[in-house]
Amino acid sequence: MKNLINNSIIKTISLVVISLILNACGGVPEEKEELAAAEKVFSVDEVLEMVSKENDITRTLYTKAIVGEGKKQGMKFDEDWRKNDVEAGPLPALFLRGIATSIRKGDVPLGLYLGSDFPINNANKLKGKQAVLFEKIKKDQKPQFFYDDEQKLHTAMFADLASADACVTCHNDHKQTSKTDWKLGDVMGSTTWQYPADSLSYGDAIKVLNAYAKGTVDTYIEYLNEIESFKNSTKPEIGDKWPSKGNYLPKPEVFLDSVRKLSSFGTMKNLLSFK
Ligand code: HEC
């Protein structure tokens, strides 16, 4: 994982350096710059691993800092959060589904799903090849990559770990749960990512990461809009503060900023922002 990210950063730095040199030599002919941006430099596996890392960070941050801390402040999170009579925010799995839906609406052909062998929602039960590979993931927590012949999509599966107490308690206590002895650190399921091409240019890789980040912001904004319509519950103050400080929620930029600070995406974006 570390190697992969270092590798990506090195590739990014090389691109920046090449462009800077070309610039110093009297400007880059536009086609050359376009050529560099269009070159297929990442394998689909590398990109799916990068976006999955973003997802791990976003998901843990949302679960711990928003759901976990928010609950201590009396904020509610519910699977029916979108219903008008339910004054609550999205559960982590539904936050993820919101992100997946937003990505699907955009023009980046990236698929994202969350599944398990012991799901709360039976629609999330892993099937076929994914169920077989999940057995391996449970043993060694290593990602699995394969080409899905039926769907004609490159597919990557990553362990979804019980990274916060909130994951364990909520799943064990849920009325529809199919397993009641989850523990911290367990592989509770897997995120599955799909993409049609086997390699991506820098431009395409950035589009994938941006589609994910946009999905996060879109879903978070939907949550804030839901709060706006609360009639009976106290509304948290939305700004720069987090629920750990009181009845507050960070505004979307503040939330995304934290994700970026915690992830390698920030580095990559900064390196590319020379243009
Ligand atoms: C407050 C309750 C709650 C918390 C906290 C929570 N979940 Fe869930 N989770 C659910 C519910 C409810 C579903 C089913 C949602 C649906 O309808 O798809 C779900 C779905 C899932 C699924 C898909 C399989 C299934 O069970 O349907 C996985 C995997 C999962 N959660 C893992 C986690 C992990 C890992 C965490 C912590 C990072 C977490 N959950 C935190 C309630 C919770």
Side-chain angles (χ1 to χ4, degrees):
M1 191 71 204
K2 226 185 193 140
N3 281 344
L4 172 92
I5 291 188
N6 287 344
N7 201 0
S8 319
I9 292 174
I10 288 165
K11 283 184 187 167
T12 313
I13 294 173
S14 331
L15 182 75
V16 175
V17 170
I18 292 166
S19 298
L20 287 177
I21 294 170
L22 286 173
N23 264 323
C25 302
V28 197
E30 245 170 43
E31 320 89 78
K32 259 196 198 152
E33 216 177 48
E34 272 166 24
L35 221 67
E39 200 189 331
K40 305 286 185 204
V41 280
F42 294 107
S43 73
V44 63
D45 296 355
E46 280 179 307
V47 174
L48 295 182
E49 195 145 9
M50 263 190 264
V51 70
S52 132
K53 177 90 181 158
E54 292 296 312
N55 178 56
D56 285 345
I57 290 162
T58 309
R59 193 157 155 66
T60 306
L61 186 73
Y62 182 76
T63 306
K64 282 191 180 166
I66 306 282
V67 179
E69 293 295 330
K71 276 185 160 179
K72 291 186 196 159
Q73 301 296 336
M75 294 178 203
K76 301 223 161 41
F77 298 88
D78 198 289
E79 47 224 87
D80 294 325
W81 71 283
R82 284 180 199 271
K83 288 191 181 157
N84 284 343
D85 55 337
V86 178
E87 303 201 335
L91 290 177
L94 299 169
F95 192 75
L96 188 111
R97 197 176 303 146
I99 299 174
T101 306
S102 157
I103 295 173
R104 200 159 349 125
K105 285 186 191 150
D107 54 7
V108 175
L110 174 72
L112 164 60
Y113 312 88
L114 183 62
S116 174
D117 51 352
F118 290 105
I120 289 182
N121 180 345
N122 211 37
N124 300 331
K125 190 160 168 100
L126 291 164
K127 292 184 202 85
K129 182 136 188 185
Q130 291 197 27
V132 175
L133 292 177
F134 183 61
E135 289 307 315
K136 285 196 189 166
I137 297 177
K138 276 209 294 193
K139 284 199 192 96
D140 60 12
Q141 304 192 3
K142 290 204 180 107
Q144 291 290 330
F145 302 93
F146 71 102
Y147 183 71
D148 186 324
D149 283 316
E150 260 170 50
Q151 300 188 74
K152 307 238 176 312
L153 291 169
H154 294 272
T155 306
M157 294 173 70
F158 301 90
D160 191 45
L161 299 175
S163 52
D165 282 325
C167 320
V168 173
T169 47
C170 183
H171 274 250
N172 284 344
D173 298 345
H174 197 277
K175 53 186 185 307
Q176 281 167 23
T177 193
S178 49
K179 181 173 156 70
T180 53
D181 57 353
W182 293 110
K183 298 182 303 300
L184 205 61
D186 275 354
V187 179
M188 291 181 78
S190 76
T191 47
T192 300
W193 301 81
Q194 296 187 304
Y195 194 82
D198 66 352
S199 55
L200 289 86
S201 63
Y202 278 108
D204 291 339
I206 290 290
K207 275 188 192 155
V208 164
L209 293 171
N210 276 342
Y212 179 82
K214 180 176 180 301
T216 307
V217 172
D218 284 352
T219 311
Y220 191 69
I221 289 174
E222 276 184 57
Y223 169 31
L224 298 185
N225 289 343
E226 189 74 17
I227 291 175
E228 193 59 37
S229 70
F230 284 2
K231 292 193 184 69
N232 305 313
S233 324
T234 2
K235 297 180 188 177
E237 190 185 313
I238 293 150
D240 294 330
K241 294 199 193 111
W242 291 73
S244 58
K245 296 275 184 302
N247 197 21
Y248 302 108
L249 275 178
K251 54 187 176 193
E253 308 88 272
V254 173
F255 182 73
L256 190 64
D257 203 45
S258 283
V259 175
R260 287 187 166 157
K261 280 202 188 103
L262 290 165
S263 71
S264 58
F265 184 34
T267 322
M268 188 158 157
K269 284 281 276 202
N270 286 343
L271 285 169
L272 281 169
S273 65
F274 65 94
K275 274 193 182 174

